[in-house]
Amino acid sequence: MDPEAVSNFLSEQRENAPEDLQQSFLTIEDYWDRKLWHQLTDVLVEYFNTAASAQQRLPLFRHFILSFSEKINQLKFVSLGLLAATQCSDDQERLSFLTDLTTKVNKPASQDAYVYALAAGSDVKLRLQDFAGARKDLDTAESILDSFDSVETEVHAAFYRTNASYYQAEAEFGSYYKNALLYLACIDPKTLTLEDAQSRAYDLSIAALVSDSIYNFGELLLHPILDSLNNTQHFWLRDLLFAFNRGDLNAYNVLEVNLSKAPLLEEHKTFLWQKISLAALTEAVFRRPPHDRAMTFQTISQETKVQPNEIEILIMKALSLGLLKGSIDQVAEVARINWVQPKVLDMKQIDNMRLRLKDWDSSVNNLGNWIEGIGKDVWAA
């Protein structure tokens, strides 16, 4: 690009910029003139992240940044492009812009930037209802990510965010839950607005409850984003998740009146009862010491409030899902459980474990005293 033309273009942009940002253009021109590409990129990223720069992002990107795009960090180049794309008039124009950007960085040395751009393009395709196109791009991005030893967290975050949006649109709750949590693991939750945090906490809670593949909510229960539901109209969702986690049928019965507030929960009401029954079963097993986990069908029926003739099906379901390991004696109507899936414990469950440890310690102590009493002559010898 001709130096004089660049100078004239930047002067024009400086005059159109807010007064408090005009100094930035002098810095930009100085770095460009001295070919300090790294410093130039950083000041451009800083400028583009300023809300007042919105109207100038597209002109700067198209008429200035593209002229030296090969000389700068490609990931930052894509970041600048994504910020510029926010100023496109509609999603069709935005998709065309991002498609050109994606093609430009599709090179062996900049595959991380390529994935970053692909994820952004897929997000726009989802808004345009092009689910097949979005899935194709996301699969391409995923295969590239799997080949990396390491990559910037912003790239992973962009992929997981868009992948979660795709699965949410397709009502694949288990996959949405997994990808949404991975996205949150890649960012600082404090960077989310309160509205976004509440929306994500709500969607994650619903997905966790209605998914037929998620029976352990540990990661969500421990994540601070769940606290954003406190003091909102959806506060009961948090309580419902904890009720499921501890298999608390009484709490579920109290909170059940809220299900009508969430259409998906109301739609899956029968399934939710089956799921809380499984949670009650695993909790009943967990509360028992390992040597006392042979439970009659009658006992399980009392613990889970499931009809006696449905207990065998309930246990088989728990075994098939990997929630329990053991065997069933159909003749004697006894389930012998030797393993229960670990889960996050609340304070009451931790206290129950403390009491079990005290009982165990007392049993070991009594056994030691008995051995000492019976074998006095042996110990003396």
Side-chain angles (χ1 to χ4, degrees):
M1 195 173 182
D2 180 60
E4 185 177 351
V6 170
S7 181
N8 291 336
F9 173 76
L10 292 177
S11 295
E12 180 184 336
Q13 293 299 311
R14 182 175 69 251
E15 292 174 3
N16 294 332
E19 188 175 345
D20 58 329
L21 294 179
Q22 291 182 359
Q23 180 62 37
S24 298
F25 282 93
L26 297 176
T27 305
I28 289 171
E29 185 173 0
D30 177 50
Y31 287 154
W32 182 85
D33 189 50
R34 291 194 286 160
K35 296 179 172 57
L36 298 176
W37 308 120
H38 174 72
Q39 291 87 339
L40 175 59
T41 305
D42 286 345
V43 74
L44 282 167
V45 169
E46 182 181 355
Y47 184 76
F48 271 43
N49 276 296
T50 304
S53 71
Q55 298 300 318
Q56 295 175 295
R57 292 173 193 166
L58 273 175
L60 279 170
F61 189 87
R62 285 170 170 161
H63 303 298
F64 179 57
I65 296 173
L66 282 176
S67 67
F68 56 86
S69 61
E70 303 288 340
K71 303 178 187 297
I72 64 176
N73 180 288
Q74 295 297 278
L75 201 54
K76 291 185 177 180
F77 170 60
V78 171
S79 296
L80 290 167
L82 299 187
L83 288 167
T86 61
Q87 300 309 302
C88 291
S89 59
D90 55 40
D91 278 336
Q92 287 290 356
E93 181 188 350
R94 190 169 294 109
L95 180 59
S96 176
F97 178 89
L98 291 175
T99 300
D100 292 341
L101 178 64
T102 302
T103 301
K104 193 168 184 62
V105 294
N106 186 12
K107 301 170 184 176
S110 57
Q111 288 294 284
D112 54 345
Y114 177 56
V115 169
Y116 197 20
L118 269 178
S122 299
D123 192 46
V124 178
K125 287 182 179 180
L126 288 176
R127 293 201 296 272
L128 292 172
Q129 306 294 304
D130 181 10
F131 298 114
R135 185 68 264 162
K136 180 180 177 182
D137 287 349
L138 288 168
D139 287 341
T140 300
E142 186 171 23
S143 65
I144 296 172
L145 282 173
D146 288 343
S147 69
F148 289 154
D149 292 328
S150 63
V151 69
E152 294 293 333
T153 54
E154 62 187 306
V155 178
H156 265 134
F159 170 76
Y160 289 131
R161 183 183 64 247
T162 307
N163 213 27
S165 296
Y166 170 82
Y167 286 121
Q168 185 178 29
E170 293 290 290
E172 296 185 31
F173 303 111
S175 296
Y176 164 74
Y177 179 85
K178 174 186 174 183
N179 281 273
L181 280 178
L182 286 170
Y183 165 65
L184 291 176
C186 293
I187 66 168
D188 182 353
K190 295 178 182 177
T191 61
L192 296 173
T193 64
L194 179 59
E195 183 180 351
D196 192 16
Q198 290 173 348
S199 175
R200 291 187 180 281
Y202 176 84
D203 290 340
L204 273 165
S205 299
I206 298 295
L209 290 166
V210 302
S211 170
D212 60 3
S213 62
I214 300 170
Y215 291 84
N216 190 332
F217 312 142
E219 288 183 85
L220 179 57
L221 295 178
L222 292 174
H223 202 286
I225 198 171
L226 202 58
D227 294 333
S228 66
L229 294 178
N230 291 336
N231 303 316
T232 71
Q233 61 179 329
H234 304 305
F235 72 93
W236 56 272
L237 265 177
R238 186 177 185 278
D239 296 336
L240 187 61
L241 284 170
F242 277 96
F244 268 81
N245 186 63
R246 62 178 182 269
D248 191 336
L249 290 167
N250 292 328
Y252 176 78
N253 290 331
V254 172
L255 294 166
E256 188 179 11
V257 296
N258 294 293
L259 297 184
S260 59
K261 299 176 183 177
L264 273 173
L265 295 185
E266 182 68 18
E267 182 183 335
H268 291 78
K269 197 170 183 178
T270 301
F271 170 73
L272 289 175
W273 174 251
Q274 295 170 353
K275 197 166 186 174
I276 191 68
S277 298
L278 285 167
L281 172 61
T282 57
E283 179 64 19
V285 174
F286 181 79
R287 285 199 303 266
R288 284 172 162 71
H291 63 270
D292 185 27
R293 287 183 174 172
M295 303 171 65
T296 65
F297 286 12
Q298 185 62 36
T299 299
I300 294 174
S301 178
Q302 293 171 355
E303 295 275 1
T304 63
K305 305 297 188 291
V306 173
Q307 294 299 317
N309 62 336
E310 297 177 356
I311 292 300
E312 187 175 344
I313 296 174
L314 179 70
I315 299 170
M316 290 176 66
K317 182 72 172 175
L319 293 172
S320 67
L321 289 168
L323 303 177
L324 302 174
K325 291 181 181 179
S327 60
I328 302 174
D329 186 334
Q330 294 173 309
V331 177
E333 294 190 338
V334 172
R336 294 181 175 84
I337 309 301
N338 52 45
W339 180 87
V340 60
Q341 185 185 71
K343 60 182 177 180
V344 172
L345 306 180
D346 60 22
M347 294 306 295
K348 184 178 179 180
Q349 290 170 311
I350 291 173
D351 187 57
N352 287 336
M353 181 169 282
R354 179 183 66 83
L355 294 175
R356 281 171 52 190
L357 287 171
K358 286 183 66 177
D359 290 342
W360 175 79
D361 181 62
S362 177
S363 297
V364 171
N365 189 53
N366 290 338
L367 178 62
N369 292 335
W370 178 80
I371 292 174
E372 184 178 353
I374 294 297
K376 285 181 179 179
D377 294 339
V378 177
W379 299 128

